[in-house]
């Protein structure tokens, strides 16, 4: 499960025609359960199984619309992307050597 807290993203794109800059911030919180089972004694091999299940909630604007501008310009333009989910399940299962 990812750590709770704000997610900040600052980025820039540099190309032949100039440079674009922008930023995004969302806060994501998770509530869930983690389990771990050491299989060393059962199968005589140093393996650990780990699993987690959580509910994640995104606070703030979930629309993927950003106003950006070229670094040397004053005009802005809008870039649209796929919207984030407000609520989602986060599941994981891992088998790893100890």
């Amino acid at each position: 499960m990812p750590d709770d807290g704000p997610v900040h993203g600052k980025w820039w794109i540099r190309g032949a025609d100039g440079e674009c800059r922008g930023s995004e911030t969302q806060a994501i919180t998770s509530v869930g359960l983690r389990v771990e089972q050491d299989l060393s004694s059962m199968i005589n091999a140093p393996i650990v199984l780990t699993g987690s299940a959580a509910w994640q909630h995104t606070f703030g604007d979930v629309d993927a619309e950003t106003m950006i501008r070229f670094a040397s310009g004053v005009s802005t333009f809008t870039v649209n992307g796929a919207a984030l989910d407000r609520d989602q399940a986060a599941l994981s299962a891992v088998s790893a050597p100890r």
Side-chain angles (χ1 to χ4, degrees), residues 1 4-5 8 11 14 17-18 20 29-30 42-45 52-53 59-61 63 71 81 84 86 91-92 94:
M1 288 183 287
D4 296 342
H8 302 286
W11 49 269
R14 186 168 289 165
D17 294 336
C20 296
T29 188
S30 300
M42 291 183 216
I43 61 172
N44 201 21
S52 67
F59 295 93
D61 189 9
D63 293 330
L84 299 172
R86 175 77 59 197
L91 305 171
S92 74
V94 178

Side-chain angles (χ1 to χ4, degrees), residues 2-38:
D3 293 333
D4 296 342
V7 177
H8 302 286
K10 291 191 183 217
W11 49 269
W12 61 91
I13 302 168
R14 186 168 289 165
D17 294 336
E19 186 176 90
C20 296
R21 293 178 187 250
S23 67
E24 289 293 320
T25 302
Q26 286 85 25
I28 299 172
T29 188
S30 300
V31 176
L33 172 71
R34 269 185 213 177
V35 294
E36 181 177 296
Q37 178 64 48
D38 187 348

Side-chain angles (χ1 to χ4, degrees), residues 39 47-51 93-98:
L39 299 179
I47 295 177
V48 175
L49 295 178
T50 305
V94 178
S95 172
R98 178 160 295 265

Side-chain angles (χ1 to χ4, degrees), residues 39-92:
L39 299 179
S40 310
S41 61
M42 291 183 216
I43 61 172
N44 201 21
I47 295 177
V48 175
L49 295 178
T50 305
S52 67
W55 168 75
Q56 291 183 331
H57 182 77
T58 302
F59 295 93
D61 189 9
V62 293
D63 293 330
E65 181 178 287
T66 302
M67 298 289 292
I68 62 175
R69 68 175 173 79
F70 286 104
S72 60
V74 291
S75 300
T76 61
F77 57 95
T78 303
V79 176
N80 292 306
L84 299 172
D85 287 329
R86 175 77 59 197
D87 295 296
Q88 61 188 347
L91 305 171
S92 74

